[in-house]
Amino acid sequence: MNYETVFRAQLDGLHREGRYRVFAELERHAGDFPRATRHHNGETSTVTVWCSNDYLGMGQNPGVIAAMHQALDACGAGAGGTRNISGTNHHHVLLERELADLHGTEAALLFNSGYVSNWASLSTLASRLPNCIVYSDAGNHASMIEGIRHSRAPVRIFKHNDPNDLDRLLSEAPADAAKLVAFESVYSMDGDIAPIAAICDIADKHGAMTYIDEVHAVGLYGKRGGGISERDGVAHRLTVIEGTLAKAFGVVGGYIAGSAAMCDFVRSFASGFIFSTALPPAIAAGATASIRHLKTSAAEREMMHDRVARVRRRLDAIGVPHQPNPSHIVPVMVRDPVQCKRMGDQLLDQWGIYVQPINYPTVARGTERLRLTPSPLHTDADIDHLINALATIWSEMRLQRAA
C-alpha cells in the first residue's frame, strides 16, 4: 500500500468539500487583547480576533500574568513529574481548593485539559460503576463522547436538551443498574443552554448520577463565575461538575468538582490522570489568580454580555442571520462550507478581522457558520468595523449567488 497516496487522497477530499482547515498563525499582544499579529507568507499584519475562547481576556490580565511570573521564578518551568510521582506542587493543591470553593463542593481534581478531564472522568466512572448505563445528550462534545465510548458501557442518546426523552429512556433501565446522565450547560456551537433543573429532576426520579460540562460557562455566569449551575442555584444537585481553565479563566487545564469520595475515586483509577505529567506550577498559579479575581469582579462578565447584545442588534440591523440563543456565543449562519471559508478569508485578508470558519464535523453539514465571541475588550469601533465588513461581504455573496 502507498500510504502517502492514501493520506493525500483524503486530504484532497477535504479541499474539494471546502472543509480543509487552515491555521491562522497569530502572535497575541500582551495587554492589547483582542489585537494580534498575523504571520502570513513572510509578512506580518495586525488583526482583531473575534473568535477567541479567552472570553473575558483574562489571558492578558496583569494579575494573572504577575502570578505566573512569580510562580515561574519560584518553582521553575515544569512540574517535574506526574501528580503521583514528585509532580504535585503546592500551587496545584491551592488551585484545587479554589475550584472546590468556586462550585461549593468538597473537592476538585485538576487535569491537563478540559478534553482530558471529560475523557478520563467519564471513562473511569462509567467503566467502574456496576452495570452502568450512560445517558448522553445528543449534542455532547467529542471529548465526552470519546470518554463514554472508551468506557465500553452501554449508552443511550437522549434528544438534545429534552428531559422528557431522558425520562423515557431512564424508565427502560433495569432497577439495579448504575445510571449516569451526561450533558453540557452551554453548548459551544449553537450557544443554547440546558434545562439543568429539569434534567436533575428526571435524574433524581430514577436514581441517576448527573455529570455536567460547564466548560463554556465557568467564569461567565453566576455571581462568582461558577457557571450556569451557580446562576440557576442548582450546583448542589449535580454529582460531577466539569470545567476548563482555558476559556474564561484564560490559561489552560481542566478539572472536575464534586464529593471528596468521587474525586478520589477518579484520581485513583483514571489512567488519563495517573499517567500524565502535571501542569506547570506557573499555569496553576495563573489559573488560581484568575478564578479569585472573577469570584469578586463582575465587571468583565457584565461588559461581555453588553458587547454580545450590541453585536446581535447590529447584525439584525444589517440583515445578517445569526442563530438566536441566551448565551454569549453568536453564530453567524452561512450554511455552506465553501462560502463560509471564503467569508473567513475575506474578513482576514481584506479587513484584518479573524473569525475561524466552523464546518463539519464540528457542526452538521449545512449549518456551517462563523462563530463570533464578543469580549469585554472589543470596543464600539471594533464592532463598527466588524459590522461594516460583514455587511459588505454578505451583500457581495448575495450578488454572487443570484448570478
Side-chain angles (χ1 to χ4, degrees), residues 33 50 52-58 186 193 216-222 228 231 247-249 294 297-313 325-330 372-378 383:
F33 183 81
W50 272 98
S52 176
N53 282 342
D54 186 0
Y55 291 130
L56 300 177
M58 291 301 293
V186 177
I193 294 177
H216 292 275
V218 290
L220 303 173
Y221 300 89
I228 299 295
R231 186 197 71 176
K247 293 181 171 57
F249 295 128
L294 291 174
S297 174
E300 292 84 0
R301 287 188 284 276
E302 291 171 357
M303 180 57 76
M304 180 203 71
H305 291 298
D306 173 85
R307 301 288 83 187
V308 169
R310 186 179 181 88
V311 168
R312 285 188 173 132
R313 288 195 301 269
N325 63 57
S327 77
H328 58 285
I329 295 164
V330 184
L372 302 176
T373 54
S375 82
L377 299 175
H378 284 99
I383 295 173

Side-chain angles (χ1 to χ4, degrees), residues 43-360:
E43 298 182 355
T44 61
S45 60
T46 299
V47 299
T48 301
V49 180
W50 272 98
C51 57
S52 176
N53 282 342
D54 186 0
Y55 291 130
L56 300 177
M58 291 301 293
Q60 311 286 305
N61 181 274
V64 172
I65 294 172
M68 294 181 72
H69 276 299
Q70 186 176 4
L72 183 64
D73 291 339
C75 301
T82 65
R83 290 290 297 274
N84 187 51
I85 304 176
S86 84
T88 294
N89 188 278
H90 184 53
H91 288 288
H92 298 132
V93 177
L94 293 178
L95 174 55
E96 287 172 339
R97 291 175 185 169
E98 202 70 43
L99 289 164
D101 176 77
L102 175 67
H103 294 292
T105 59
E106 291 179 338
L109 186 65
L110 183 63
F111 292 84
N112 287 17
S113 72
Y115 193 105
V116 173
S117 58
N118 268 335
W119 181 87
S121 300
L122 282 167
S123 63
T124 300
L125 291 167
S127 65
R128 300 193 72 92
L129 287 170
N131 304 313
C132 185
I133 303 171
V134 181
Y135 296 83
S136 179
D137 187 285
N140 277 345
H141 188 265
S143 58
M144 302 176 77
I145 295 168
E146 288 296 326
I148 295 165
R149 182 179 296 149
H150 185 74
S151 76
R152 298 185 179 178
V155 60
R156 305 288 183 268
I157 310 298
F158 64 94
K159 295 176 183 176
H160 179 52
N161 280 348
D162 190 336
N164 292 328
D165 195 48
L166 174 62
D167 187 25
R168 178 184 66 82
L169 291 173
L170 280 166
S171 298
E172 299 170 355
D176 62 344
K179 295 171 279 288
L180 175 60
V181 178
F183 63 107
E184 301 181 40
S185 60
V186 177
Y187 288 84
S188 62
M189 289 298 126
D190 288 342
D192 53 336
I193 294 177
I196 301 175
I199 290 174
C200 287
D201 288 343
I202 300 301
D204 291 345
K205 173 183 172 183
H206 296 280
M209 294 175 58
T210 47
Y211 182 109
I212 189 170
D213 177 318
E214 287 258 42
V215 159
H216 292 275
V218 290
L220 303 173
Y221 300 89
K223 185 177 180 180
R224 301 196 310 156
I228 299 295
S229 58
E230 184 199 16
R231 186 197 71 176
D232 293 353
V234 294
H236 64 285
R237 302 187 63 186
L238 298 157
T239 311
V240 186
I241 298 174
E242 186 268 347
T244 186
L245 306 170
K247 293 181 171 57
F249 295 128
V251 194
V252 69
Y255 65 90
I256 57 170
S259 73
M262 185 278 295
C263 288
D264 198 20
F265 180 83
V266 174
R267 180 190 73 88
S268 299
F269 292 107
S271 64
F273 176 85
I274 294 168
F275 297 105
S276 289
T277 297
L279 285 171
I283 296 294
T288 301
S290 183
I291 294 165
R292 287 176 178 169
H293 175 85
L294 291 174
K295 280 180 178 177
T296 60
S297 174
E300 292 84 0
R301 287 188 284 276
E302 291 171 357
M303 180 57 76
M304 180 203 71
H305 291 298
D306 173 85
R307 301 288 83 187
V308 169
R310 186 179 181 88
V311 168
R312 285 188 173 132
R313 288 195 301 269
R314 296 292 303 279
L315 289 171
D316 287 337
I318 62 172
V320 169
H322 58 100
Q323 189 152 308
N325 63 57
S327 77
H328 58 285
I329 295 164
V330 184
V332 171
M333 304 306 294
V334 182
R335 303 186 185 280
D336 178 273
V338 175
Q339 292 282 17
C340 196
K341 183 175 188 311
R342 186 175 298 160
M343 282 190 71
D345 289 345
Q346 285 184 259
L347 285 167
L348 188 57
D349 295 336
Q350 299 174 20
W351 296 82
I353 293 170
Y354 173 48
V355 188
Q356 184 68 27
I358 306 293
N359 52 34
Y360 180 83

